[in-house]
Structures are given as structure tokens and as C-alpha cells.
């Protein structure tokens, strides 16, 4: 079920809905999609998606997952985008202790964000045990991953597949289809680093 969130004046601190909406709009524009195209890809209504981008509605977890897949990202990254930003003190380091960080669904498992505040890339610790590969993910950001525990079979669509063990790494360029699984269903952990798409959601054209 979706619930409406009250509109907030521009002078106030952005709400989580407004931060999420701006992030969704930035991702959509980075993907070169109109509102109509994204709504169709995520099987959501055009008016509802428009309200989401304006911070006037709150998506259900199911809607958020459909949007994440349509945009080639993950629910945990969208959830993190709605969190209040850490104050940016120039070059001050950002620390995330063990057990801390935003945690949520990612592909066929769970991911924990390993950084807070303004950043140019997204480091995540992924944990999974899926013995089925699921759908291929395709996104515009380059992505790097290395195996921390266990082993995985990674498929790259037309580029074939490969088994990676602890210490093995792979770098995927923008637009490369990829998915992974553990054939024996054993738990595995990956360190994933993705580029971050930044967007303020500002209008630069009329969406149709």
C-alpha cells in the first residue's frame, strides 16, 4: 500500500521522500528515460511516479524493488538515498564500523553500504547464498567486485561466465550484463564498488 506524504516548503530541510524523489529523477535522467518509459519498465502508473519524484508519495517496498530493477540499481541504494546526508566537512574521513551502515536487499541477497556522506563511488559488502542466478543486471555505471568468502559463478550474458574464488576480482564496464550465484547454495561474500550517479532532479526538459 502507498501513502501520501505532505508537501514541504522549499525553505525546510528535505524530507526522506523528497531526497528519494530527487535521486530517482537523477537516475532516470542519467538513463535517458522519460517518466512514461520508466513507469512502463517498473509497471507503475505515470502519475504515481511523477508524485514520487516530487516527494509527494512514499513507495511500497515492492514498488521500490521494481524501480530499482528498472533503473539498474538496488533497493538498498535507493533507501540510502533517502537517508539524511552527513555534514560535508571538506576532506574529513567518513567511518562506518562493523555492524553499521545501511543494510537492505541487493540482487539475490543482502548488501551493507560501507560509506556515508558525499562520495563518488558506492562500496558495498554483499552477502548471498542463492543457488539460482536470477535476472541479469545492466546499468550505466562501471562496477568492480572481489570475492571475500566462498565462491560464485558470474555470468556476463554474451560474454560467457566464470567461477570466482576468494581473492578473485572482476571489473565490469558500463552496460555489461551480470549476475551471480553459488551452485551449491553456500554463503558467499563480495566487496562491490560502483560508480555513483548524482542528480538534483532539476527540470531540463518537459517529460512525456
Amino acid at each position: 500500500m502507498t501513502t501520501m506524504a505532505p508537501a514541504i516548503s522549499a525553505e525546510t530541510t528535505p524530507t526522506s521522500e523528497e531526497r528519494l524523489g530527487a535521486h530517482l529523477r537523477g537516475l532516470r535522467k542519467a538513463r535517458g528515460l522519460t517518466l512514461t518509459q520508466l513507469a512502463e519498465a517498473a509497471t507503475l502508473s505515470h502519475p504515481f511516479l511523477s508524485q514520487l519524484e516530487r516527494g509527494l508519495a512514499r513507495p511500497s517496498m515492492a514498488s521500490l524493488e521494481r524501480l530499482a530493477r528498472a533503473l539498474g540499481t538496488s533497493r538498498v541504494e535507493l533507501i540510502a538515498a533517502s537517508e539524511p546526508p552527513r555534514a560535508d566537512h571538506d576532506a574529513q574521513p567518513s567511518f562506518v564500523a562493523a555492524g553499521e551502515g545501511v543494510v537492505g536487499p541487493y540482487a539475490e541477497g543482502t548488501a551493507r553500504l560501507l560509506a556515508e556522506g558525499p562520495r563518488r563511488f558506492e562500496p558495498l559488502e554483499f552477502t548471498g547464498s542463492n543457488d539460482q542466478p536470477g535476472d541479469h543486471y545492466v546499468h550505466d555505471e562501471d562496477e568492480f567486485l572481489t570475492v571475500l568468502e566462498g565462491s560464485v559463478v558470474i555470468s556476463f550474458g554474451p560474454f560467457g561466465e566464470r567461477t570466482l574464488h576468494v581473492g578473485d576480482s572482476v571489473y565490469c564496464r558500463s552496460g555489461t550484463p551480470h549476475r551471480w550465484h553459488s551452485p551449491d547454495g553456500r554463503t558467499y561474500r563480495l566487496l562491490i564498488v560502483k560508480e555513483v550517479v548524482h542528480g538534483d532532479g532539476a527540470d531540463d526538459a518537459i517529460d512525456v
Side-chain angles (χ1 to χ4, degrees):
M1 183 180 71
T2 57
T3 57
M4 298 300 295
I8 304 297
S9 67
E11 290 75 19
T12 63
T13 301
T15 64
S16 61
E17 288 81 13
E18 289 170 329
R19 284 190 292 270
L20 174 60
H23 187 65
L24 287 172
R25 188 174 184 81
L27 281 175
R28 176 175 63 77
K29 287 185 173 292
R31 305 293 193 254
L33 298 172
T34 65
L35 274 170
T36 299
Q37 291 170 329
L38 178 56
E40 291 177 352
T43 62
L44 297 173
S45 73
H46 180 285
F48 177 61
L49 181 56
S50 178
Q51 291 175 334
L52 282 181
E53 289 196 355
R54 289 172 170 77
L56 301 177
R58 184 178 302 113
S60 66
M61 287 296 102
S63 296
L64 206 59
E65 179 66 21
R66 291 200 294 271
L67 280 168
R69 289 184 177 272
L71 290 167
T73 185
S74 66
R75 205 193 317 173
V76 67
E77 290 169 294
L78 294 182
I79 292 172
S82 69
E83 297 291 315
R86 182 181 64 88
D88 186 9
H89 298 297
D90 298 323
Q92 180 175 324
S94 167
F95 295 94
V96 175
E100 296 182 351
V102 177
V103 177
Y106 187 99
E108 308 305 320
T110 301
R112 179 172 70 99
L113 288 176
L114 303 178
E116 296 179 343
R119 53 193 179 275
R120 295 184 179 181
F121 54 85
E122 201 85 90
L124 308 104
E125 178 187 34
F126 176 89
T127 303
S129 59
N130 55 300
D131 58 6
Q132 297 298 318
D135 298 327
H136 278 99
Y137 275 80
V138 181
H139 47 72
D140 292 341
E141 300 79 47
D142 285 14
E143 180 172 308
F144 166 86
L145 70 81
T146 188
V147 182
L148 301 176
E149 176 185 339
S151 62
V152 292
V153 175
I154 303 185
S155 168
F156 302 100
F159 303 107
E161 64 179 35
R162 184 162 179 169
T163 300
L164 299 186
H165 305 283
V166 174
D168 292 339
S169 304
V170 63
Y171 188 100
C172 297
R173 293 195 176 276
S174 168
T176 303
H178 55 286
R179 62 184 183 183
W180 52 74
H181 71 290
S182 171
D184 58 11
R186 293 185 179 179
T187 298
Y188 61 92
R189 288 191 305 124
L190 310 174
L191 172 63
I192 300 173
V193 180
K194 289 178 59 179
E195 288 185 296
V196 169
V197 171
H198 291 288
D200 58 10
D203 283 311
D204 53 20
I206 297 176
D207 294 312
V208 296

